[in-house]
PDB file of all heavy atoms in Angstrom:
ATOM      1  N   LEU Q   7     -20.869   1.719 -11.667  1.00 90.00           N
ATOM      2  CA  LEU Q   7     -19.468   1.798 -11.246  1.00 90.00           C
ATOM      3  C   LEU Q   7     -19.288   1.175  -9.867  1.00 90.00           C
ATOM      4  O   LEU Q   7     -18.311   0.459  -9.625  1.00 90.00           O
ATOM      5  CB  LEU Q   7     -19.023   3.254 -11.230  1.00 90.00           C
ATOM      6  CG  LEU Q   7     -17.579   3.509 -10.780  1.00 90.00           C
ATOM      7  CD1 LEU Q   7     -16.591   2.842 -11.730  1.00 90.00           C
ATOM      8  CD2 LEU Q   7     -17.303   5.008 -10.687  1.00 90.00           C
ATOM      9  N   PHE Q  28      -8.096 -21.142   6.505  1.00 95.00           N
ATOM     10  CA  PHE Q  28      -7.077 -22.203   6.457  1.00 95.00           C
ATOM     11  C   PHE Q  28      -6.113 -22.070   7.633  1.00 95.00           C
ATOM     12  O   PHE Q  28      -5.753 -23.070   8.271  1.00 95.00           O
ATOM     13  CB  PHE Q  28      -6.327 -22.134   5.135  1.00 95.00           C
ATOM     14  CG  PHE Q  28      -5.242 -23.168   5.001  1.00 95.00           C
ATOM     15  CD1 PHE Q  28      -5.564 -24.492   4.760  1.00 95.00           C
ATOM     16  CD2 PHE Q  28      -3.912 -22.807   5.131  1.00 95.00           C
ATOM     17  CE1 PHE Q  28      -4.563 -25.456   4.651  1.00 95.00           C
ATOM     18  CE2 PHE Q  28      -2.908 -23.758   5.019  1.00 95.00           C
ATOM     19  CZ  PHE Q  28      -3.230 -25.086   4.790  1.00 95.00           C
ATOM     20  N   MET Q  37      -3.656 -27.023  18.163  1.00 83.00           N
ATOM     21  CA  MET Q  37      -4.116 -26.965  19.552  1.00 83.00           C
ATOM     22  C   MET Q  37      -4.723 -28.287  19.989  1.00 83.00           C
ATOM     23  O   MET Q  37      -4.495 -28.747  21.129  1.00 83.00           O
ATOM     24  CB  MET Q  37      -5.139 -25.840  19.712  1.00 83.00           C
ATOM     25  CG  MET Q  37      -5.689 -25.718  21.123  1.00 83.00           C
ATOM     26  SD  MET Q  37      -6.666 -24.229  21.377  1.00 83.00           S
ATOM     27  CE  MET Q  37      -5.379 -22.992  21.334  1.00 83.00           C
ATOM     28  N   PRO Q  45     -10.132 -32.529  23.923  1.00 59.00           N
ATOM     29  CA  PRO Q  45     -10.602 -31.265  24.490  1.00 59.00           C
ATOM     30  C   PRO Q  45     -12.107 -31.313  24.785  1.00 59.00           C
ATOM     31  O   PRO Q  45     -12.893 -30.517  24.280  1.00 59.00           O
ATOM     32  CB  PRO Q  45     -10.302 -30.270  23.368  1.00 59.00           C
ATOM     33  CG  PRO Q  45     -10.543 -31.068  22.132  1.00 59.00           C
ATOM     34  CD  PRO Q  45     -10.172 -32.511  22.459  1.00 59.00           C
ATOM     35  N   VAL Q  47     -13.773 -31.241  27.787  1.00 48.00           N
ATOM     36  CA  VAL Q  47     -14.283 -30.715  29.051  1.00 48.00           C
ATOM     37  C   VAL Q  47     -14.154 -29.206  29.037  1.00 48.00           C
ATOM     38  O   VAL Q  47     -13.063 -28.670  28.840  1.00 48.00           O
ATOM     39  CB  VAL Q  47     -13.519 -31.290  30.267  1.00 48.00           C
ATOM     40  CG1 VAL Q  47     -14.041 -30.652  31.554  1.00 48.00           C
ATOM     41  CG2 VAL Q  47     -13.677 -32.792  30.333  1.00 48.00           C
ATOM     42  N   SER Q  75      -9.176 -12.902  13.037  1.00 92.00           N
ATOM     43  CA  SER Q  75      -9.909 -11.833  12.345  1.00 92.00           C
ATOM     44  C   SER Q  75      -9.220 -10.480  12.520  1.00 92.00           C
ATOM     45  O   SER Q  75      -9.270  -9.642  11.621  1.00 92.00           O
ATOM     46  CB  SER Q  75     -11.349 -11.762  12.857  1.00 92.00           C
ATOM     47  OG  SER Q  75     -11.390 -11.364  14.218  1.00 92.00           O
ATOM     48  N   ILE Q  93      -6.415   2.123  -8.387  1.00 89.00           N
ATOM     49  CA  ILE Q  93      -7.604   2.476  -9.164  1.00 89.00           C
ATOM     50  C   ILE Q  93      -7.631   3.964  -9.463  1.00 89.00           C
ATOM     51  O   ILE Q  93      -7.989   4.394 -10.569  1.00 89.00           O
ATOM     52  CB  ILE Q  93      -8.876   2.041  -8.411  1.00 89.00           C
ATOM     53  CG1 ILE Q  93      -8.987   0.517  -8.396  1.00 89.00           C
ATOM     54  CG2 ILE Q  93     -10.120   2.655  -9.047  1.00 89.00           C
ATOM     55  CD1 ILE Q  93     -10.161  -0.012  -7.609  1.00 89.00           C
ATOM     56  N   GLN Q  97      -5.402   4.156 -15.742  1.00 81.00           N
ATOM     57  CA  GLN Q  97      -5.938   4.764 -16.960  1.00 81.00           C
ATOM     58  C   GLN Q  97      -7.226   4.079 -17.383  1.00 81.00           C
ATOM     59  O   GLN Q  97      -8.160   4.733 -17.877  1.00 81.00           O
ATOM     60  CB  GLN Q  97      -4.890   4.685 -18.064  1.00 81.00           C
ATOM     61  CG  GLN Q  97      -5.215   5.528 -19.288  1.00 81.00           C
ATOM     62  CD  GLN Q  97      -4.100   5.472 -20.313  1.00 81.00           C
ATOM     63  OE1 GLN Q  97      -3.856   4.436 -20.922  1.00 81.00           O
ATOM     64  NE2 GLN Q  97      -3.415   6.588 -20.513  1.00 81.00           N
ATOM     65  N   SER Q 105     -18.076  11.493 -13.321  1.00 86.00           N
ATOM     66  CA  SER Q 105     -17.404  12.617 -12.669  1.00 86.00           C
ATOM     67  C   SER Q 105     -16.400  12.120 -11.644  1.00 86.00           C
ATOM     68  O   SER Q 105     -16.534  11.015 -11.088  1.00 86.00           O
ATOM     69  CB  SER Q 105     -18.434  13.529 -11.995  1.00 86.00           C
ATOM     70  OG  SER Q 105     -19.058  12.855 -10.917  1.00 86.00           O
ATOM     71  N   THR Q 116     -16.858   1.551  -1.680  1.00 93.00           N
ATOM     72  CA  THR Q 116     -16.789   0.114  -1.979  1.00 93.00           C
ATOM     73  C   THR Q 116     -15.708  -0.572  -1.147  1.00 93.00           C
ATOM     74  O   THR Q 116     -15.868  -1.730  -0.761  1.00 93.00           O
ATOM     75  CB  THR Q 116     -16.507  -0.125  -3.471  1.00 93.00           C
ATOM     76  OG1 THR Q 116     -15.378   0.667  -3.888  1.00 93.00           O
ATOM     77  CG2 THR Q 116     -17.715   0.230  -4.315  1.00 93.00           C
ATOM     78  N   VAL Q 139     -22.355 -24.963  20.946  1.00 72.00           N
ATOM     79  CA  VAL Q 139     -22.049 -24.776  22.368  1.00 72.00           C
ATOM     80  C   VAL Q 139     -23.309 -24.452  23.156  1.00 72.00           C
ATOM     81  O   VAL Q 139     -23.342 -24.567  24.386  1.00 72.00           O
ATOM     82  CB  VAL Q 139     -20.978 -23.659  22.530  1.00 72.00           C
ATOM     83  CG1 VAL Q 139     -20.605 -23.451  23.986  1.00 72.00           C
ATOM     84  CG2 VAL Q 139     -19.741 -24.012  21.738  1.00 72.00           C
ATOM     85  N   ALA Q 180     -12.548   8.002   6.698  1.00 85.00           N
ATOM     86  CA  ALA Q 180     -11.441   8.947   6.851  1.00 85.00           C
ATOM     87  C   ALA Q 180     -10.094   8.283   6.556  1.00 85.00           C
ATOM     88  O   ALA Q 180      -9.184   8.920   6.012  1.00 85.00           O
ATOM     89  CB  ALA Q 180     -11.434   9.536   8.261  1.00 85.00           C
ATOM     90  N   SER Q 192       1.436  13.780  -2.749  1.00 79.00           N
ATOM     91  CA  SER Q 192       2.850  13.501  -3.009  1.00 79.00           C
ATOM     92  C   SER Q 192       3.108  13.323  -4.503  1.00 79.00           C
ATOM     93  O   SER Q 192       4.122  13.791  -5.029  1.00 79.00           O
ATOM     94  CB  SER Q 192       3.285  12.244  -2.240  1.00 79.00           C
ATOM     95  OG  SER Q 192       2.530  11.113  -2.654  1.00 79.00           O
ATOM     96  N   VAL Q 230     -12.269  23.070  15.308  1.00 54.00           N
ATOM     97  CA  VAL Q 230     -13.608  22.582  15.014  1.00 54.00           C
ATOM     98  C   VAL Q 230     -14.403  22.337  16.293  1.00 54.00           C
ATOM     99  O   VAL Q 230     -15.558  22.772  16.429  1.00 54.00           O
ATOM    100  CB  VAL Q 230     -13.541  21.298  14.161  1.00 54.00           C
ATOM    101  CG1 VAL Q 230     -14.919  20.650  14.059  1.00 54.00           C
ATOM    102  CG2 VAL Q 230     -13.011  21.623  12.780  1.00 54.00           C
ATOM    103  N   MET Q 250     -21.485  13.348  21.781  1.00 65.00           N
ATOM    104  CA  MET Q 250     -21.366  12.435  20.652  1.00 65.00           C
ATOM    105  C   MET Q 250     -21.758  13.127  19.363  1.00 65.00           C
ATOM    106  O   MET Q 250     -21.110  12.951  18.319  1.00 65.00           O
ATOM    107  CB  MET Q 250     -22.249  11.205  20.888  1.00 65.00           C
ATOM    108  CG  MET Q 250     -22.294  10.224  19.724  1.00 65.00           C
ATOM    109  SD  MET Q 250     -20.674   9.491  19.369  1.00 65.00           S
ATOM    110  CE  MET Q 250     -20.541   8.340  20.750  1.00 65.00           C
TER     111      MET Q 250
END
Side-chain angles (χ1 to χ4, degrees):
L7 179 62
F28 179 75
M37 179 170 289
V47 177
S75 66
I93 290 177
Q97 192 177 68
S105 67
T116 50
V139 181
S192 61
V230 170
M250 175 63 75

